[in-house]
Amino acid sequence: MNWQTLQKSLRDYPITPYLSDYPQSCRDFSWNAIRDHLQGLPDGNGLNIAHEAVDRHADSPRGGYLALRWLGRSGQVRDYTYRQLREFSNRFANVLRNLGVAKGDRVYAMTGRIPELYFTALGALKIGAVFCPLFSAFGPEPIRARLEIGEGKVLVTTARLFQRRKIAELRAALPALQHILIIDEDDTGAAIPGTQDFRALLEAASPEFVIPPTHPEDMALLHFTSGTTGRPKGAVHVHAAAAMHYYTGRAVLDIQAHDTFWCTADPGWVTGTTYGILAPWLCGAANLVDEDEFNAERWYRTLQDQQVSVWYTAPTAIRLLMKYGDELPRQFDLSRLRFLASVGEPLNPEAVVWGQNVLGRPFHDTWWQTETGGIMIANLPALDIKPGSMGRPLPGVEAAIVRRTRFGGIEPITQAGEEGELALRVGWPSLCRTYLNEDRRYRECFADGYYLSGDLARRDEDGYYWFVGRADDVIKSAGHLISPFEVESVLLEHPAVAEAGVIGKPDPVAMTLVKAFVSLKPGHEPSEELRRAILGLARQRLGPAVAPRELEFQANLPKTRSGKIMRRLLKARELGLPEGDLSTLEGNEG
Ligand code: 6R9
C-alpha cells in the first residue's frame, strides 16, 4: 500500500477545496449557515428543490450555462442550459397540472437515463408532487409493488419499457394509477391504448410556470429501499433536504460552478437522483448524463472528451475498470479529473491506490444510505485518505459506534477499533421523515436520539470509520440494495418450490451475487431443467438487477423452531464459515 503517495496527492490538489479546514469547519458548523446558501421561493413562499436546483440559476447570469449534457447510447449529444431546463420542467409541471395532479400526488418515472427523466423529476417537484424513480432494470413485480405502496398516480415510461415490463397487465391491480405517459423513444408514432404521449403533451404545454408555495417539510421524493423482511420501504424525503444535497455536493464532492460533474449511478437509485440530478445543479455545475451502460473504453473516452472534473462512481465499476488493465486508460488524457469519489459498497484499498496511480487521482470513499438522504461520512478533500476506510463524519454530522441494549436503548462504544452498529445523531436536514405508511417500522430505527443504520463498523483512533458489514440480511449487489424477502417471495410463486432462502454470495467484481436455495414440493425432483425454469421465472418477474444468479436445491432449508428460514446459516455453510449459535435451529433440541 502506497500510503505516502496518497498524502502527497492531497497536497497537490490544484485548487482550494470548498471545505479546506476540517477541524475548523467542525467547530464553526451551523445548519442555518448552510441553509443561507439556498434562496427560497420568491415572496417568502417557502423552499422548493427544483427552484434551488434550476430556476434560481436560470434567472441569474448563469442562465445560459450548460446544465445538462446528455450522451445518447448511439452517439447523440443533447445540451440544455439552465434556462432551457427551466422551460422544459415548467412545461412538464403544466402537463401534470392539466392532468389534475395535485400536491403530494406521486409521479413515478421508469425511463432509463434520457432527458425526459430530468424534466419529469423537476416538473413534479415544481408542482409539489412527489417524484419517485424506478430502476429501468426492475421486472414487473418490483414495479408493481412500488407503484402499489406509493399509490402512484402518474407513471412516465418509454414505449419499449412499457412493453417489456408488461405494464398493461399490471394496471388492473393498480387503481391509483390514472395516467401513463409514454416517451416514444424510437419515434414509431404508434399510440398505446390507455396512455398519453409525453412529448406531445410537453410541446402543447405552456413554458411559463410559477411554483406554488412549498413548505420545506412538504414531501418531495420517494425512494424505495429494501429491508430484510416485509415489503419495500418507501423512504419519504422533503424539500428541506436540498440543504444537504447542496452542502454535500460542495463539501464532499467539491463540485464548483465551473465543473463538469459525472455521476454514473442511475436515478432509479438514491445516488442517481441526489447526486445524478439535484446536487450538481444546486451547485451550479454542468451535469453529464450517459444513457449507456458500463463500457470501459466509452467511459474513459467520456472522461477525456467531456473534460469531466468531478466523478462520482461505484466500487463495482471501479473494479471492472481495473480488470480491463492499466494500458487502456493511459491512452486517454484524463488530466482534467480533479476529484474522484465512490459510494454504495465497500471500496477496497487497492482501488483507491489504483485511482491514484493510473487515473492520476485517488478515489475518495463516501458512505450514506437511502434513509440519510445525503453523504454522512467521507474521505473529504481536506483530509488525508485512509485507503479502505469510509472516512470521517462531515462537519455537522455526529456519528457513533453503538451497541443495542436489551431495553430498546443504545450504549456507545468508545473504544477505538471495536465493532458495533453505526449510528447518527438526529439533526441533519435530509433524514427521511418516515417510511410511507409504515411509521412504526421507521421508528424502530431510532434510539436515544440516534438513527441506527443497520451497518456494522469500527472507528479508529484518528476518527476514521471502517465498514464491517450489514447487521441484517439485505444484499448489496453491484451497488444495488436487494431484499432477500422480495426475491424469496417470487421464487415461492413457482409451483415446484416449497421453501426459498436467499443470500449474498461474495463475488470479486459485484461484491455479492444473489444466490437462492430452494427445497421442492413432494413430487418434484431437482433437475437442470427445473433449475433453469425457476431462475427464468425469477428473472422475468424481478428483472435482471434483482433476480438470483445461482440456485441450489436442498432437501430441507435450515429453519428456526418458529419456521423462519435461517439465511445466516445458509450463508455460513455456503462460505464454509463457523455456523455460530444454533440454539434456535429447528430439530436442535440442545
Ligand atoms: C447511497 C446508497 C446503503 C447501504 C449502506 C451500506 C452500503 C453504502 C458504502 C456502503 C461500504 C461504503 N454502503 N456506502 N458500504 N462502504 N462507502 O448506497 O444507499 O442503496 O440505501 O444503500 O449501502 O451497507 O447501509 P442504499
Side-chain angles (χ1 to χ4, degrees):
M1 181 73 43
N2 200 343
W3 168 231
Q4 286 305 321
T5 327
L6 293 174
Q7 292 192 335
K8 179 172 169 300
S9 87
L10 291 162
R11 283 201 297 275
D12 287 348
Y13 199 68
I15 59 170
T16 309
Y18 174 83
L19 193 160
S20 55
D21 186 336
Y22 179 76
Q24 171 129 16
S25 297
C26 290
R27 275 196 304 276
D28 299 348
F29 190 82
S30 105
W31 285 114
N32 281 335
I34 300 292
R35 284 187 200 103
D36 285 345
H37 288 276
L38 302 177
Q39 191 179 52
L41 288 171
D43 307 322
N45 274 338
L47 181 79
N48 187 295
I49 301 180
H51 172 83
E52 301 301 327
V54 171
D55 290 14
R56 151 170 86 124
H57 302 298
D59 284 329
S60 81
R62 301 196 58 72
Y65 282 39
L66 182 65
L68 171 65
R69 169 162 295 169
W70 175 76
L71 308 178
R73 195 164 280 140
S74 35
Q76 322 90 296
V77 179
R78 281 199 232 151
D79 284 349
Y80 301 88
T81 63
Y82 279 97
R83 270 201 289 275
Q84 288 170 317
L85 265 192
R86 174 179 57 186
E87 182 196 316
F88 283 111
S89 53
N90 280 353
R91 284 178 184 271
F92 190 65
N94 283 316
V95 167
L96 291 175
R97 185 174 275 171
N98 297 341
L99 291 172
V101 175
K103 196 169 174 161
D105 285 346
R106 261 74 82 172
V107 175
Y108 281 62
M110 183 185 54
T111 60
R113 292 178 297 278
I114 54 177
E116 288 82 356
L117 170 66
Y118 301 80
F119 313 154
T120 300
L122 294 167
L125 291 168
K126 281 187 170 180
I127 81 156
V130 178
F131 174 64
C132 179
L134 290 177
F135 191 38
S136 55
F138 276 156
E141 178 48 31
I143 296 169
R144 190 203 54 74
R146 285 157 179 77
L147 277 164
E148 182 184 87
I149 296 167
E151 294 170 281
K153 185 166 186 176
V154 179
L155 171 66
V156 174
T157 187
T158 65
R160 247 182 278 157
L161 285 167
F162 182 88
Q163 305 294 2
R164 229 181 261 168
R165 306 290 181 239
K166 304 189 168 59
I167 303 298
E169 292 168 30
L170 300 181
R171 234 179 149 168
L174 298 168
L177 184 58
Q178 290 180 16
H179 308 283
I180 298 185
L181 311 186
I182 300 283
I183 301 154
D184 180 13
E185 76 272 53
D186 301 322
D187 284 323
T188 59
I192 301 175
T195 70
Q196 285 172 279
D197 183 85
F198 182 99
R199 288 178 181 161
L201 290 174
L202 201 69
E203 210 162 295
S206 160
E208 305 295 331
F209 185 84
V210 178
I211 298 180
T214 313
H215 192 278
E217 288 299 312
D218 282 349
M219 185 170 165
L221 304 164
L222 180 64
H223 281 296
F224 282 94
T225 185
S226 300
T228 306
T229 56
R231 312 207 300 166
K233 300 180 275 190
V236 169
H237 288 284
V238 297
H239 284 270
M244 190 69 178
H245 304 159
Y246 167 81
Y247 168 54
T248 51
R250 280 259 192 275
V252 183
L253 302 174
D254 203 37
I255 307 173
Q256 312 213 9
H258 52 75
D259 277 314
T260 298
F261 173 77
W262 183 22
C263 169
T264 60
D266 187 89
W269 305 91
V270 74
T271 304
T273 297
T274 308
Y275 297 99
I277 305 182
L278 303 171
W281 291 336
L282 284 157
C283 297
N287 188 19
L288 184 73
V289 170
D290 184 9
E291 183 190 18
D292 211 356
E293 299 313 319
F294 176 87
N295 172 321
E297 192 172 339
R298 179 179 169 106
W299 277 29
Y300 289 129
R301 190 171 305 286
T302 299
L303 291 170
Q304 168 187 275
D305 292 355
Q306 301 303 329
Q307 309 205 334
V308 174
S309 47
V310 180
W311 192 34
Y312 199 22
T313 188
T316 296
I318 300 169
R319 286 189 288 267
L320 275 169
L321 289 175
M322 290 169 74
K323 262 179 65 170
Y324 278 84
D326 300 355
E327 278 318 300
L328 186 59
R330 295 211 163 101
Q331 294 165 25
F332 297 88
D333 176 6
L334 305 178
S335 59
R336 288 298 285 268
L337 280 174
R338 183 179 87 248
F339 192 76
L340 312 183
S342 163
V343 67
E345 331 150 58
L347 182 66
N348 39 318
E350 297 74 17
V352 177
V353 178
W354 178 82
Q356 173 66 59
N357 292 342
V358 178
L359 308 182
R361 298 275 164 205
F363 282 99
H364 295 250
D365 193 16
T366 67
W367 178 93
W368 61 293
Q369 299 181 308
T370 303
E371 286 84 347
T372 71
I375 300 165
M376 296 278 118
I377 294 178
N379 285 278
L380 294 153
L383 292 171
D384 288 335
I385 295 178
K386 287 204 187 191
S389 143
M390 306 190 288
R392 299 184 66 180
L394 269 59
V397 170
E398 203 184 313
I401 301 291
V402 304
R403 185 183 298 119
R404 296 194 194 212
T405 60
R406 276 210 297 170
F407 305 104
I410 51 170
E411 227 168 58
I413 295 176
T414 48
Q415 180 72 30
E418 207 177 309
E419 186 181 310
E421 185 166 355
L422 176 56
L424 301 150
R425 185 187 275 285
V426 173
W428 73 96
S430 64
L431 171 66
C432 78
R433 297 301 195 255
T434 189
Y435 294 132
L436 195 67
N437 305 328
E438 291 196 276
D439 201 49
R440 194 153 144 225
R441 217 169 160 197
Y442 175 72
R443 277 186 278 116
E444 284 167 5
C445 305
F446 296 87
D448 300 345
Y450 279 83
Y451 163 71
L452 302 168
S453 71
D455 275 5
L456 301 174
R458 295 182 281 115
R459 182 184 50 236
D460 70 17
E461 57 290 351
D462 298 322
Y464 283 71
Y465 283 74
W466 299 74
F467 183 78
V468 173
R470 296 277 312 186
D472 56 21
D473 295 336
V474 166
I475 300 165
K476 255 276 155 126
S477 180
H480 303 146
L481 206 63
I482 295 170
S483 152
F485 177 77
E486 200 169 16
V487 179
E488 289 159 4
S489 306
V490 162
L491 292 168
L492 290 171
E493 288 177 15
H494 192 283
V497 173
E499 301 168 318
V502 165
I503 64 158
K505 175 182 169 178
D507 178 81
V509 173
M511 238 340 261
T512 16
L513 291 181
V514 178
K515 172 157 187 177
F517 295 85
V518 299
S519 68
L520 297 176
K521 288 182 184 157
H524 296 275
E525 288 304 318
S527 72
E528 184 53 26
E529 200 187 338
L530 185 55
R531 204 177 62 82
R532 281 216 209 107
I534 299 170
L535 282 176
L537 170 84
R539 202 178 156 84
Q540 197 194 347
R541 303 271 294 132
L542 294 163
V546 184
R549 296 292 171 87
E550 288 184 24
L551 183 138
E552 192 176 311
F553 293 111
Q554 285 193 357
N556 282 301
L557 299 188
K559 282 179 289 297
T560 61
R561 269 173 248 155
S562 58
K564 261 173 69 177
I565 308 275
M566 291 178 83
R567 300 186 188 112
R568 178 178 62 77
L569 196 54
L570 283 170
K571 190 162 178 172
R573 288 177 181 167
E574 171 73 22
L575 306 183
L577 297 173
E579 296 193 353
D581 178 8
L582 295 183
S583 55
T584 58
L585 180 67
E586 181 193 48
N588 223 2
E589 303 310 326

